[in-house]
Amino acid sequence: SEALRPDTAPPSRATGEDPVATAPVAAGPVAAGPAVADPEEHAAPPVAMARAEARPPARQPARVVARAKSAGASVPVVSRPAKVQPAAQDMTAPVPDSPEWVPMAQPDSAASPAATGFAVNFEDLFGRKLPIWAGGLTLLVAAVFLVRYSIESGLLSPLVRVVLGGLFGAGLVGAAEIARRRAEWIDDPRVAQALAGAGIGALYAATLAAANLYALIGPASAFAGLTAITLAAGALALRFGPPCAVLGLVGGLAAPALVHAAQPNAPLLAGYIGVLVAGLALLSRRQRWAWLGILALIGGAAWSTVMIAMGALDSAGLVAVGLLILSLSLALPALPAEVAGAQRDGVTLRLVSAAVGALQLAFLVATGGFTLLTWGLYALLSLAVLWLGHRVPAIRAVGVVPLLTALGLLLLWTQPQAWSFALVLGGIAAIHGGHALWRLRTAAEPRLALLDAVGLAAVALGGFVAVQVQFSPTGPVSAQIALLLGLLPAAGAATLWGLARQPGGRCFALTAGCAALLLAVALLSAAPAWSAPACLGAVSLLSLGLALRAGNRDLRFGALAFQVAALFSLGITGHADAEVLRLLKQAPQPDLVQALVRWSGAALSAAAMAWGMRRAPSEGGLVGPGQVVGTLVGYGLVAQIVPADWLGLTAAVAMLLGQLLGERRPDLASLTVGATLGGLAALWALVPAAHWLGSVMASLGGEPVLVTALPGPGEALRRLLGPALLVGLALHRAGATIPSVPRRLAQGYAGGGALIAIHVLYKQLFAIASVDRFTALGLAERTVWELLLVAGGAMAWRWSRRAQADAGRPAAALALIGAALGHGLGYTVLLHNPLWADQAIGAWPIANLLIPAYGGLFAALWLLPRALMPDGVSASRRLATGLAVARMGLFGLFVLTSLRQFFAGSLPATVAVGSSEDIAWSLAAVALAIGYLLWGIRKADRTWRLGSLVLMLGAVGKVFLFDASGLEGLARIASFLALGFSLIGIGWLYSRFLKADAQAIGG
């Protein structure tokens, strides 16, 4: 076996060393292994090295050596390290012909326990254990069927049958005792257990037949006999073990079904089941057989359910079955934890047992006609469950089961009388509600207190729902019932007042919220339907005040729920349609008083909710939404009085007043309220702004913007200009206290609204309402508007330079300058240019609208780079090039339009171009090209020089292609001379001052 180890080498035959005297030792920190030429080449594998290091060299014990020598085996003895010359073969492989190499035997898989375990267990279960138990049951069943056969054939009289059954059972028990005493004969204890169990079952059957089938003995004698047999079964179980108890359980539970009568005696049967289950439960408690007690309770619960389902129970039967259910449902909860099972399993079993008992009693109450007798039995169960919960705190949750079941029975009660219903409901409130109140006074654990709080809420709310379902009271009657039931949770809240700020605060919130809910129901029942928002708002105010006074966070969410309900009721009660329409547009008010009451209640509660949540924002987390809702509801209240056209201005005024109030009282400052009011003002500006935007979008296609297609001046003032100015003033006063994004949005609204309103009001000055009037005054209207925009941009630029010299780009100046440029280039230059559109310029040359129209555009181009670069930094090359091109183009259009006005008058687009005017265009183009060149030379701006060259080439092309072809004689010669001198002059200028550029262009 040593040779099989990979870290042990066989002895070398060349050296002739005695393997007994010297053995190879594994390499380690002390002992050295065989000497090898190259340690890297002949090193042992990693696994072998690990095993060698794990097994230190040691001398074999003397007893091991002696035992091995007596057996004739050679045992290697470790003495001291010896050097061994390297061998030619692999030092880690075993040598077959070595005397120490012995192959190890492999285990036989067929003989292993894993291979035979299944067969042994199968044979033991089905061949040795089950037949014995089945034999005992078979004897019991055979005895029963033998008795039945004798009855059906008339062979035996009733007395003889009973006596023989008893003798048969006693004989089986005696045989079991003999089998136990003669264990050396039987050699199996299960035989005695099976016989004893069968005998107990036979005795049960004989006794029940004598009492229930043949009436040979009375109920008292039968009860005594069954008690004696149960005691005997317990004694035999102690003597013979658990199988006997199982067979006794099965026989005892099966006897009433196998030996039955046409009309069984319910009290006797219930007493029998109770005695049987009680005896088995006691036996399970003594022997620590929890399974036996649980099975007995399950069997008893099944029998009680069968007896209830059979029906036709008289008073005595109802009492008997009810007492049986009580005893069964309370038997398992009364067991100690070590008998019922593990801690968690025991609690679960107790809960299930009590729940099953409550459901069975509820079934009994329903099938028994909801009599006070059955209700009394249910009250006993409730009291017992509550008492057990007091004794065993782990099962206190069981008390909720009979409570909920009782409330369900109240809902299922068919045609109850008012006095009996009130009596039962009062009993439920007294038992469960009184117990919960008593427990709340001494509650030490929040979890247990929560159960009692849930019980109080369930009694109050469930009782009210049951009354409504059964009797459907309305008006003051329903309100009185709600108030009466609400006293229970109110008393619970008063009891828990001291725990409102502690971890048990949820219990206080639950009871107080339940009382508030019933109060809300009472108010809704007594008050008219249209006042629902005010009633719910009042309850919300009361709940919020109570929550703040008690310092309870959870109750504030209850107040919030009532607030949400109040807001929801605004849309479904009263004249909701007309009131909501007044929020959006002008609509008639059917009843102002109702509207004020409804919206005032909701608004006050919403404002209080926003204030209450604001006091502890880190806890509530609803600061923003609460203030938004409060602001919106307050706006709805104002909308019931103020006309719709003034609501936007009203919201803006409220925003400014809020800002002024926040400056005086910083604790009342609210960005959320201000943003909500500003948003409302902006919403009212949407309609006129959309109206204006539609006309503007149509104008992009060339349609004139007529004054009749725009909002009226009053609407512009109320919805656009006034709110925009007020919002802008509030922003100015707020300064940097408003975050960047909201501030920019508000600035955009204020600036855009003001600009739209000013444009609408400006359009009223010219009052262009037709196409003819647009032809006469369109250019004048646009020119003045563009000049106003440019002037506003210049003022904003100068103001920004003085007030905020280093604050970056002035947004207002850029917006106004950009609007002026966009408007002038889009409409005056492109869409409605007098060169191709019917636009009146003026009757006088030079003294017309062209100079101010194009002068405004030149001023805007001059202001644009200064507004973009407020720090005096030069504009970028690309921006400078663009501005130069724009100036050249605008100046060229101005000259061309002025020539047209000189030849064609105020409406040049309506007059055709003559030959003289055509030549004048060419001369003007040449003159402009020379002027552009001179300006470019002076400013050292290559863009102007290139523009000059392009324009000159265009003029030359026009002269040669168009002008010269239509001229003759001196006119043609003069045109060519002028063109020639111009070209020479341009060339001279380039060669004189711009030699380098001329060479680059020539190249």
Side-chain angles (χ1 to χ4, degrees), residues 796-981:
W797 172 59
R798 294 294 300 273
W799 174 79
S800 63
R801 289 185 62 187
R802 294 178 181 178
Q804 302 175 2
D806 55 347
R809 299 178 181 179
L814 284 175
L816 291 173
I817 295 171
L821 277 175
H823 191 274
L825 294 176
Y827 292 102
T828 302
V829 175
L830 296 178
L831 294 176
H832 303 293
N833 196 310
L835 291 176
W836 51 79
D838 293 342
Q839 291 290 282
I841 299 174
W844 296 91
I846 306 300
N848 52 42
L849 294 174
L850 292 179
I851 292 179
Y854 284 95
L857 293 176
F858 277 106
L861 291 176
W862 181 83
L863 286 172
L864 182 62
R866 289 161 176 79
L868 285 173
M869 306 296 175
D871 298 331
V873 181
S874 300
S876 64
R877 181 178 182 83
R878 185 174 299 177
L879 176 61
T881 301
L883 293 175
V885 171
R887 290 189 181 98
M888 286 188 287
L890 288 176
F891 196 78
L893 285 175
F894 169 73
V895 172
L896 182 60
T897 309
S898 298
L899 283 176
R900 284 250 63 201
Q901 194 276 340
F902 181 81
F903 286 97
S906 181
L907 294 174
T910 60
V911 180
V913 178
S915 57
S916 300
E917 183 180 357
D918 198 7
I919 295 175
W921 280 18
S922 301
L923 295 176
V926 173
L928 281 176
I930 297 173
Y932 290 169
L933 179 59
L934 294 175
W935 183 261
I937 294 172
R938 181 180 177 181
K939 294 294 183 180
D941 192 341
R942 190 166 180 265
T943 304
W944 283 89
R945 300 195 303 269
L946 293 177
S948 168
L949 182 59
V950 171
L951 184 59
M952 180 59 70
L953 293 176
V956 171
K958 178 179 180 299
V959 169
F960 279 100
L961 295 177
F962 300 100
D963 298 343
S965 61
L967 297 176
E968 294 181 358
L970 294 176
R972 176 182 298 180
I973 296 171
S975 63
F976 276 98
L977 288 175
L979 181 60
F981 285 121

Side-chain angles (χ1 to χ4, degrees), residues 976-990:
F976 276 98
L977 288 175
L979 181 60
F981 285 121
S982 299
L983 292 175
I984 292 171
I986 292 174
W988 176 78
L989 289 173
Y990 266 97

Side-chain angles (χ1 to χ4, degrees), residues 333 384-396 439:
V385 170
L386 294 177
W387 176 79
L388 280 174
H390 175 66
R391 297 296 299 272
V392 185
I395 63 171
R396 280 189 57 191
R439 291 296 305 176

